[in-house]
Amino acid sequence: MNKPAWLAGIVSIATALSSGAAFAAQPTPWQTDLQPAATGIMHEIRWFEEYTLWFLIPIVLLVLALLVYVIMRYNKRSNPTPSRTSHNTMIEIIWTVGPVLILLFFAVPSFQLLTAQYTPEGEPELTIKATGYQWYWGYEYQGDEGEDVSFDALLLREEDRADYGKEDKAVYPRLLAVDNEIVVPVDTTVRLLVTAGDVLHSWAMPAFGVKMDAVPGRLNETWFRVEEEGIYYGQCSELCGKDHAFMPIAVRAVSREQYDGWLAAARDDVGAANRDLMAAIDAQRQLASAE
C-alpha cells in the first residue's frame, strides 16, 4: 500500500536531517508555509507576512459578513420595496478613512523591509556574479585581484548521481540538485551580482528572501548573509524558455574554515574541491553523531 504524499514528505525530511550530508531548506510535498528562514531578511519577511494576516483575516470576515447580511436583508422577498437612499455621509467617511489607516499600517513596515533588503549588513566580504543562461547558471567568485573561481551549475542528471556522490535524494532532490553548488561561509555578507547572457532569468532563493531579475546587458545587485550551515535550494523564477523548470539553484553554506579550504582547492579543480568538501562534511557529521 502506497504511503500518502504528506507522510512521504515527512519521512524524506526526517531522513535528510539524520543523514550524513548537510540539510537546510528545500520545498516539501503539500507545503503551504514559507521555507524556514536562513537569513535576517527572511526572518523579517516571515514577520511581515504574519503581521499582514492580522489585518487581512478580519477584513475578509467583515466583507463576507456584509455580503451575507445584504443578501439576506435586501433580497426581493425580504425587501419588496427598495430603498431610494442615495448616500450616507458617515459610511462614506468610514470606508475612506478606514482603508487609508490600514494602508499606512502596511506601508511603514513595508518600506522598512524594502530598505533593509537593499542595505547590506556592513561591507560585503565576498562577491559572486551569477549569470543566467538557457538553461543553467554560471558563477564567478570575484576576489581583490579579480576573478578567482568560476564554474557552471547545471541540473544534476539521474545517471550522474553516483559520479557526484549525490545518491541521497532527500538531501539532493530530483530537479533541484545541481552538479556544482555555490559555496559560501556562514555569518558572511555576500554581495550577489546578477545578469543574463541571453534572455530574462531570475535568481530566487526562498530561504534567503532573495529574488533578483537577471537582465541581459544589465547588472543587478542583491545580498544575503546565511545564518546556518546546510544546502539551500531555489529556482529560476522568470519564464525563460522550454527548460525553465530545469534551472535550479543550490547554495551550500559551510564554516569559514571549510570555505577557505574549498576556495583554495577550487582555484585548481572545482569538482575535486566539491568532493573534498562533501567528504569533510560527512566526516564531521559522523564524528558528531558518534559523540
Side-chain angles (χ1 to χ4, degrees):
M1 185 174 182
N2 293 332
K3 296 178 181 178
W6 62 269
L7 180 58
I10 294 176
V11 172
S12 67
I13 294 174
T15 302
L17 290 174
S18 61
S19 64
F23 171 82
Q26 61 179 256
T28 58
W30 296 91
Q31 182 174 0
T32 58
D33 196 7
L34 300 174
Q35 290 188 21
T39 65
I41 290 297
M42 191 58 193
H43 282 295
E44 294 187 39
I45 292 175
R46 289 185 64 93
W47 174 88
F48 185 66
E49 183 254 351
E50 295 169 358
Y51 169 80
T52 56
L53 288 178
W54 287 101
F55 294 88
L56 299 181
I57 292 176
I59 291 172
V60 170
L61 294 177
L62 174 62
V63 173
L64 177 62
L66 290 175
L67 286 173
V68 172
Y69 174 77
V70 170
I71 291 172
M72 300 299 295
R73 174 65 180 82
Y74 295 104
N75 61 67
K76 184 176 181 180
R77 181 182 303 173
S78 302
N79 190 47
T81 304
S83 171
R84 295 183 178 276
T85 302
S86 61
H87 69 279
N88 184 296
T89 302
M90 182 56 65
I91 291 178
E92 292 181 2
I93 292 175
I94 291 173
W95 72 35
T96 301
V97 175
V100 169
L101 293 177
I102 293 173
L103 290 175
L104 284 175
F105 279 104
F106 283 170
V108 173
S110 177
F111 286 137
Q112 291 175 339
L113 177 57
L114 285 172
T115 300
Q117 286 180 304
Y118 291 96
T119 307
E121 297 177 359
E123 289 296 320
E125 303 168 61
L126 171 63
T127 299
I128 301 175
K129 181 181 179 182
T131 305
Y133 301 99
Q134 292 178 309
W135 289 270
Y136 63 95
W137 291 94
Y139 296 104
E140 299 175 13
Y141 285 65
Q142 300 179 351
D144 295 335
E145 299 179 359
E147 176 185 329
D148 287 333
V149 175
S150 63
F151 57 87
D152 294 332
L154 286 78
L155 175 71
L156 180 65
R157 299 184 300 178
E158 293 301 302
E159 60 268 24
D160 293 336
R161 284 184 176 273
D163 294 339
Y164 287 93
K166 298 178 179 179
E167 295 93 338
D168 189 350
K169 292 186 179 181
V171 180
Y172 303 101
R174 177 178 175 271
L175 300 184
L176 285 177
V178 299
D179 53 359
N180 298 309
E181 297 92 3
I182 307 172
V183 179
V184 299
V186 295
D187 299 324
T188 300
T189 300
V190 179
R191 174 169 52 195
L192 185 69
L193 306 177
V194 184
T195 187
D198 38 42
V199 300
L200 291 175
H201 300 279
S202 183
W203 199 95
M205 184 59 62
F208 295 178
V210 171
K211 183 178 183 297
M212 181 59 67
D213 286 344
V215 183
R218 177 172 178 174
L219 203 61
N220 290 330
E221 181 177 333
T222 186
W223 70 280
F224 58 84
R225 187 182 182 93
V226 187
E227 298 174 341
E228 297 183 7
E229 296 180 25
I231 302 178
Y232 301 87
Y233 291 102
Q235 290 175 294
C236 176
S237 295
E238 182 74 35
L239 186 59
C240 56
K242 70 179 184 66
D243 285 342
H244 164 67
F246 308 103
M247 194 173 168
I249 301 166
V251 177
R252 187 190 291 273
V254 298
S255 67
R256 169 58 71 172
E257 293 75 18
Q258 290 173 330
Y259 170 77
D260 290 339
W262 173 87
L263 183 63
R267 291 191 175 100
D268 297 323
D269 189 334
V270 173
N274 289 338
R275 289 191 292 272
D276 292 343
L277 178 60
M278 291 171 59
I281 293 173
D282 288 344
Q284 181 182 23
R285 286 183 171 270
Q286 291 173 2
L287 180 62
S289 61
E291 296 175 352

